[in-house]
């Protein structure tokens, strides 16, 4: 089944995105912890896009698609290409360095990469598509 959600890039819409993801995930045999981890991962990517890539511009939208089967949940987050971030060049920073520098941010994509089984970003013309997948443990 495929679920689709589209919002403009306002910080207040992050709550709506979390609620959408939570509602969709009730269809899958996930524990509360797994559900919360997946909500966190989607929220982190959407937060980065809304706040950092698009500066909370309400004229820009992001779309979230959730496609699922008995074995896999695929999250697609589609947004206008801003050419600001090349995921293929991203390397997880050292947590030790983040703590030493007392940085307030910088761990979101580390969490996304730990939670999801696969994360990729495809550039398609004027849009980027984040594809994040998670295998469902049926046991």
């Amino acid at each position: 089944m495929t679920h689709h959600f589209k919002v403009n890039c306002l910080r207040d819409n992050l709550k709506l995105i979390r609620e959408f993801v939570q509602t969709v995930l009730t269809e899958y045999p996930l524990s509360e912890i797994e559900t919360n981890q997946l909500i966190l991962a989607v929220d982190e990517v959407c937060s980065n896009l809304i706040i950092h890539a698009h500066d909370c511009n309400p004229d820009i939208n992001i779309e979230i698609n959730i496609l699922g089967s008995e074995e896999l949940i695929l999250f697609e987050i589609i947004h206008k290409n801003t050419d600001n971030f090349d995921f293929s060049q991203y390397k997880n920073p050292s947590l030790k360095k983040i703590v030493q520098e007392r940085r307030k941010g910088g761990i979101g994509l580390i969490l996304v990469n730990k939670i999801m089984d696969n994360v990729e970003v495809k550039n398609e013309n004027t849009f980027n598509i984040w594809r994040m997948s998670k295998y469902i443990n049926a046991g």
Side-chain angles (χ1 to χ4, degrees), residues 70-86:
E70 291 181 14
E71 300 89 26
L72 181 76
I73 304 172
L74 174 66
F75 301 87
E76 290 182 333
I77 303 169
I78 304 164
H79 72 106
K80 181 180 175 186
N81 183 356
T82 58
D83 291 324
N84 292 335
F85 182 72
D86 183 356

Side-chain angles (χ1 to χ4, degrees), residues 9-139:
C9 289
L10 291 174
R11 191 183 300 246
D12 289 345
N13 286 336
L14 290 169
K15 180 180 183 210
L16 299 176
I17 292 169
R18 289 189 299 270
E19 290 170 351
F20 164 71
V21 174
Q22 182 169 21
T23 299
V24 171
L25 293 180
T26 61
E27 298 177 7
Y28 299 94
L30 300 168
S31 70
E32 184 177 347
I33 290 172
E34 291 169 319
T35 298
N36 287 330
Q37 288 174 337
L38 294 173
I39 293 167
L40 174 65
V42 173
D43 182 66
E44 181 57 39
V45 170
C46 291
S47 295
N48 284 344
L49 297 176
I50 288 172
I51 296 166
H52 301 297
H54 299 298
D55 296 320
C56 298
N57 183 342
D59 295 329
I60 298 173
N61 295 315
I62 62 171
E63 298 178 41
I64 299 108
N65 296 317
I66 303 175
L67 303 89
S69 69
E70 291 181 14
E71 300 89 26
L72 181 76
I73 304 172
L74 174 66
F75 301 87
E76 290 182 333
I77 303 169
I78 304 164
H79 72 106
K80 181 180 175 186
N81 183 356
T82 58
D83 291 324
N84 292 335
F85 182 72
D86 183 356
F87 186 75
S88 67
Q89 300 299 313
Y90 176 79
K91 294 189 180 13
N92 283 338
S94 160
L95 284 175
K96 184 176 180 180
K97 186 174 182 179
I98 290 172
V99 171
Q100 286 174 341
E101 294 175 356
R102 298 178 187 231
R103 288 180 18 203
K104 292 182 180 177
I107 63 167
L109 288 180
I110 294 171
L111 289 171
V112 171
N113 283 322
K114 289 218 180 271
I115 292 167
M116 294 295 181
D117 293 317
N118 186 43
V119 179
E120 64 182 17
V121 180
K122 297 233 182 220
N123 180 302
E124 296 189 6
N125 298 321
T126 60
F127 292 91
N128 285 335
I129 302 173
W130 286 73
R131 287 193 177 101
M132 307 182 300
S133 58
K134 183 68 174 179
Y135 288 97
I136 299 172
N137 182 359

